[in-house]
Amino acid sequence: MEGVRVFHVDAFTTTAFGGNPAGVVPNAEGLNKKEMQLIAKELNLSETAFLTTSSSSQADYQIQFFTPTKEIDFCGHATVGAAWVLGTMYQLATKKDQVVFETNIGIVPVQFMVENDNLHSVLMTQVEPSVKTISTDLTELVRYVGIKESDIDSQYPVRLGYTGNWHLLIPVKSRNAVDEASPKLDLLKEHNERHHISTTHLFTFDCEEENCLVYTRDFAPAFGINEDPVTGSANGALSGYFILEGILDVSKDHHFQIAQGHSMGRPGFLQVIIKVGNDRPVIQVGGSAVITIAGNLLARR
């Protein structure tokens, strides 16, 4: 593994040490899954993305995602981080309008949004959204996530949402209740593993940030991550839920901002575009990123 190039990228932020940090290995050719897992464990970030040559004619790269403990099928903020590294450090944004990734859950294109010859943000198109009900009693769920049943915003249903991973989406009345949530992580981990749920995502429309529609927090103990600061996959699933459950007007497109990470001291913002011009809504999630560390892995095994 000697000489492997590694980047540390803060996604969904324009400020270093904000947003959600991800590892990116832009040239992972020659690494096997065991070695990728070791690198992800060494970096000790919520996810690390590994890029290799894709065998698909539809994609530029294959991208694989590892937490410190296991491989996962999709990660939004690491996808943003990988696209940002390619667009800036490898100048791909000066050559192409987008980069296309082959993931375990399908093809994910990411547009480069360039202003004045500089990469301003990236915008990924997630796979088709879907929702389904969950059988767990609400009394149990609120105990697992550490809020009161009176904190639940009953205007909106509790659902599982998907744009690559299944996320438990729980509507909450106030930002204060979201911030004060204190989940019982062992119980939440067991529950989510049993139901094949990636993360538990609390959301509220009580968002004081400028131009912000929703404020969220995300817990992922099933993947060894107590709390993830700013989550592209979960917020993509949430955005699909808004349309599929009729919470947002299904007759028009939507463009809004989601705030997350503030309770962790890593504030971040996601830009969401929902296109409803056909039978299947298209969910696009994007933002900016900051590369904070670039280096080479020197150790060998």
Side-chain angles (χ1 to χ4, degrees), residues 48-280:
T48 296
F50 296 84
L51 306 185
T52 54
T53 302
S54 173
S55 59
S56 171
S57 61
Q58 297 178 280
D60 300 301
Y61 297 91
Q62 182 182 23
I63 186 168
Q64 295 168 269
F65 307 99
F66 288 80
T67 76
T69 60
K70 64 178 70 175
E71 183 178 8
I72 60 173
D73 287 337
F74 180 66
C75 174
H77 84 277
T79 301
V80 167
W84 195 269
V85 167
L86 293 173
T88 57
M89 303 301 290
Y90 293 82
Q91 292 85 48
L92 199 62
T94 66
K95 304 168 186 176
K96 302 182 66 172
D97 294 332
Q98 67 175 7
V99 60
V100 181
F101 294 119
E102 176 193 2
T103 77
N104 288 351
I105 51 90
I107 298 298
V108 176
V110 184
Q111 293 176 254
F112 295 123
M113 315 302 286
V114 177
E115 293 182 4
N116 300 320
D117 297 324
N118 292 313
L119 185 60
H120 174 266
S121 61
V122 297
L123 186 67
M124 61 179 162
T125 300
Q126 299 193 352
V127 300
E128 183 181 350
S130 59
V131 294
K132 62 183 181 181
T133 59
I134 184 165
S135 59
T136 308
D137 186 80
L138 186 61
T139 303
E140 289 185 64
L141 289 180
V142 297
R143 184 165 65 93
Y144 297 160
V145 298
I147 61 176
K148 301 187 293 291
E149 194 162 348
S150 60
D151 291 327
I152 294 293
D153 192 339
S154 59
Q155 298 178 82
Y156 313 110
V158 174
R159 290 287 185 267
L160 294 173
Y162 177 90
T163 51
N165 298 311
W166 285 105
H167 302 272
L168 177 56
L169 308 174
I170 300 180
V172 180
K173 290 178 181 176
S174 71
R175 174 170 176 164
N176 186 61
V178 170
D179 282 340
E180 290 186 351
S182 181
K184 293 178 172 59
L185 294 168
D186 290 345
L187 292 176
L188 190 60
K189 176 183 178 181
E190 189 279 329
H191 172 269
N192 287 1
E193 286 178 337
R194 180 159 31 94
H195 291 276
H196 307 290
I197 297 167
S198 297
T199 77
T200 298
H201 203 58
L202 306 185
F203 73 92
T204 181
F205 287 99
D206 176 23
C207 187
E208 63 192 31
E209 305 297 331
E210 185 177 1
N211 300 320
C212 171
L213 179 68
V214 185
Y215 177 79
T216 66
R217 285 181 73 189
D218 193 79
F219 305 103
F223 287 147
I225 304 161
N226 288 348
E227 182 170 358
D228 216 5
V230 193
T231 46
S233 174
N235 284 304
L238 178 66
S239 301
Y241 155 94
F242 287 155
I243 288 295
L244 296 175
E245 292 292 332
I247 295 167
L248 295 180
D249 188 343
V250 298
S251 68
K252 65 179 184 179
D253 295 346
H254 298 272
H255 188 177
F256 55 88
Q257 183 167 261
I258 296 176
Q260 192 183 341
H262 296 63
S263 64
M264 300 182 68
R266 299 193 66 99
F269 297 91
L270 307 94
Q271 303 300 322
V272 177
I273 297 174
I274 304 175
K275 298 179 179 179
V276 296
N278 53 39
D279 292 336
R280 300 175 178 177

